[in-house]
Amino acid sequence: PIVTLGCMRFQQSWNRPNPTVTSIDQVDKECQENLVKIIRYAVSMGVNHIETALGYGCSELQIGAALKTLFEAGEIKREDLIIQTKGGISSSTTPEQYRQTILDQLARLGLDYVDLFSVHGANTYDHYDWLYNHGETGNLIDVLRELKKEGKVRNIGFSTHAPVDVTRKMISEGDFDYLNLHHHFCGDYTASGDGEFGGNLENVRLANEKDMGVFIISAYDKGGRLYAPSNKLRDLTLPEFEPMEYGSMWLWHHSRLDEAGSQPHTIVCGAARPSDLDQPIYAALNTQTDETATKVDAVAARIRMTKVEELGEDWVKNWHAGVPNCSDAEQGTQIGNMVWLSNAIKVFGILDFAKDRYATLENNAAKWDYSKSKEDNVKAMGPGWPWMPGCAYDESRDYSNDLKDVPEENVAKVVEAMAFVHKYCSKVSAASVAGEEKKEEKKGDVPVEYETAYDMRP
């Protein structure tokens, strides 16, 4: 499959902070009927890969009931589906607990086996150690190896928001059959700014070398909010494609666009209603034609030309050189991500997307205590930090030490990029707190091309 049904938007409850839906009897009839309709529609259109997770509230529970309904009615056969679920780990997880948790997940799904099981959120070196160097507690990777040998898990993988080097280390172990990661035409979300190419390209290539499946997470949301594109992004992709179509095509034609020929395999689309799948399905039906390839090349060339016009040839090639993200910055500043957001706003006009990402950095910065060590601060952030890490720009701070490895000719540009993102995206910038007149002035500063063209969400 090249389109995957993501199951994190149609469940009744996220069950956070405490479980509120633990039985199918607690699920509203309309909610469950909608879920059944989504799965039925997906499969009828050839989307037979279904992805969920323990962390998606009552999603597994509801999918299990839906599959039972569809199996018993003879509408779908188990062997026609590729079912994937995911489960997280922590420092306190024992092999016994991990095994039982996974078996409980299978029971909720009503299945004897899952085709794919992912370590959910293998985002840090700690996660690597819990799998491979867990001391007396026991290595959790052994549980996955055993379940695979028993046939309860057909393939094992991991999903990640990690820095590029963490993902590379996980791939290199050789245990995993596939991975879920961010890799998009406008940037690689939390991995943007990392590695040799400023993102996960090297990991897509490495996964291909290891014969691993490459599943792309959130191509339409974290890949630039393509369901609500800016005017400028539409100008770049039209008349050939709407932005959601191009986001799909860029990935499906990746092997032609990447000089090394690397290729992701499927794109996850989270659906809250059957029609949410229409754009990806329409794109999939048209992907393998010479005409489509010509159109993809035309849009890619237009985007490349715009990058050079907006940023300059040298910056396009080297913007990430020596730039740290939070793992290497002294105070956890997500510098590489902010430079990427600056580029993305200028090239694609995706200001609202950048605001969403920057809001997380500001929330983290508001909790950061500069009197404490970086290690203590990261611990205090809790489990959400590895998923959306890093702190925002602070114009009062000196970033000289963080930028010591940045080429001299780029240092001022990096600082300017951070300041640019702060100006346009910050909720607490000077312009946003200096009264209504300043607020209107700031609003007026936003170019029309940065504004949202439309929003497909209900």
Side-chain angles (χ1 to χ4, degrees):
I2 60 173
V3 177
T4 295
L5 172 61
C7 302
M8 66 181 298
R9 294 183 60 218
F10 56 32
Q11 74 274 28
Q12 181 159 311
S13 172
W14 280 92
N15 283 349
R16 298 174 187 171
N18 299 307
T20 58
V21 177
T22 57
S23 166
I24 196 64
D25 296 333
Q26 297 172 282
V27 176
D28 293 341
K29 181 180 178 181
E30 288 184 1
C31 178
Q32 187 63 14
E33 287 178 349
N34 178 59
L35 188 150
V36 172
K37 288 178 182 177
I38 291 171
I39 295 177
R40 179 183 289 125
Y41 180 66
V43 175
S44 73
M45 292 290 106
V47 180
N48 67 337
H49 178 200
I50 299 172
E51 181 207 34
T52 185
L54 175 61
Y56 295 169
C58 58
S59 178
E60 288 180 331
L61 176 71
Q62 290 185 247
I63 290 170
L67 292 177
K68 184 174 186 292
T69 297
L70 294 167
F71 291 161
E72 290 180 350
E75 296 184 53
I76 300 172
K77 296 179 181 179
R78 171 65 183 94
E79 56 267 29
D80 294 334
L81 300 179
I82 301 170
I83 298 178
Q84 173 182 355
T85 193
K86 306 187 290 291
I89 57 177
S90 71
S91 60
S92 62
T93 305
T94 66
E96 295 75 20
Q97 291 170 338
Y98 195 34
R99 178 182 175 87
Q100 188 57 54
T101 296
I102 295 171
L103 293 177
D104 289 345
Q105 290 180 256
L106 266 63
R108 271 190 297 277
L109 289 164
L111 302 174
D112 296 325
Y113 69 93
V114 288
D115 302 275
L116 306 160
F117 182 86
S118 297
V119 181
H120 199 182
N123 297 329
T124 68
Y125 282 113
D126 285 340
H127 291 88
Y128 175 88
D129 286 339
W130 300 333
L131 286 165
Y132 289 100
N133 301 305
H134 210 16
E136 294 181 1
T137 302
N139 293 337
L140 300 180
I141 191 64
D142 292 335
V143 174
L144 298 178
R145 290 168 178 160
E146 289 168 4
L147 289 171
K148 184 177 179 180
K149 187 175 181 179
E150 294 168 15
K152 295 185 182 300
V153 171
R154 298 286 175 87
N155 299 275
I156 60 175
F158 67 95
S159 70
T160 183
H161 287 218
V164 165
D165 57 321
V166 174
T167 302
R168 182 172 59 245
K169 190 172 182 66
M170 292 284 290
I171 294 171
S172 297
E173 281 298 329
D175 277 300
F176 298 103
D177 302 298
Y178 69 94
L179 79 162
N180 298 45
L181 85 171
H182 288 285
H183 183 56
H184 316 289
F185 74 89
C186 67
D188 293 356
Y189 199 48
T190 50
S192 294
D194 283 347
E196 182 180 355
F197 304 105
N200 272 321
L201 176 59
E202 63 189 85
N203 284 324
V204 175
R205 291 176 176 179
L206 180 60
N208 279 187
E209 291 173 15
K210 298 285 187 180
D211 197 27
M212 292 172 62
V214 179
F215 302 166
I216 301 300
I217 305 171
S218 195
Y220 310 118
D221 183 30
K222 303 305 186 291
R225 283 179 31 130
L226 305 185
Y227 51 76
S230 69
N231 291 319
K232 185 169 187 179
L233 181 53
R234 285 195 84 211
D235 285 345
L236 287 170
T237 63
L238 291 174
E240 289 84 1
F241 305 108
E242 285 290 348
M244 276 188 71
E245 289 178 85
Y246 181 70
S248 304
M249 296 300 185
W250 183 82
L251 289 160
W252 294 330
H253 287 256
H254 196 278
S255 61
R256 293 191 312 101
L257 300 172
D258 174 22
E259 63 183 8
S262 66
Q263 183 60 53
H265 299 109
T266 188
I267 302 170
V268 177
C269 177
R273 52 187 175 167
S275 61
D276 286 341
L277 292 165
D278 287 348
Q279 282 261 7
I281 290 169
Y282 175 78
L285 293 173
N286 291 282
T287 186
Q288 298 299 328
T289 69
D290 291 340
E291 181 183 3
T292 297
T294 299
K295 289 180 178 179
V296 170
D297 292 347
V299 177
R302 194 179 303 136
I303 289 173
R304 168 68 183 172
M305 182 175 65
T306 302
K307 286 182 178 180
V308 173
E309 290 174 351
E310 293 285 354
L311 307 174
E313 184 74 43
D314 289 342
W315 186 252
V316 170
K317 292 179 180 178
N318 301 311
W319 65 270
H320 57 281
V323 178
N325 268 320
C326 62
S327 299
D328 298 312
E330 287 183 351
Q331 293 294 338
T333 310
Q334 193 77 333
I335 299 176
N337 248 214
M338 285 186 278
V339 178
W340 158 61
L341 290 176
S342 172
N343 294 344
I345 294 170
K346 292 174 181 177
V347 174
F348 302 110
I350 49 177
L351 179 59
D352 286 339
F353 168 78
K355 285 181 178 179
D356 286 348
R357 177 71 189 118
Y358 196 70
T360 302
L361 304 185
E362 284 199 317
N363 290 339
N364 290 340
K367 301 173 188 175
W368 197 272
D369 184 346
Y370 288 104
S371 68
K372 296 181 179 179
S373 69
K374 178 180 177 180
E375 182 179 4
D376 287 343
N377 270 293
V378 170
K379 285 181 179 178
M381 290 291 175
W385 174 271
W387 292 91
M388 292 183 289
C391 292
Y393 173 68
D394 182 342
E395 57 190 353
S396 69
R397 300 198 66 79
D398 181 1
Y399 293 99
S400 298
N401 287 339
D402 287 333
L403 304 182
K404 63 183 183 302
D405 294 326
V406 175
E408 184 177 354
E409 64 272 19
N410 284 2
V411 172
K413 291 182 178 180
V414 170
V415 176
E416 289 170 7
M418 289 194 288
F420 175 86
V421 171
H422 189 73
K423 172 187 174 182
Y424 278 102
C425 299
S426 174
K427 294 180 179 179
V428 295
S429 65
S432 67
V433 298
E436 293 301 320
E437 184 176 336
K438 283 290 185 182
K439 288 181 182 178
E440 288 302 314
E441 180 182 319
K442 184 184 180 187
K443 182 178 179 181
D445 286 341
V446 176
V448 172
E449 60 185 2
Y450 292 1
E451 294 179 0
T452 299
Y454 56 76
D455 193 332
M456 295 175 65
R457 292 173 295 181

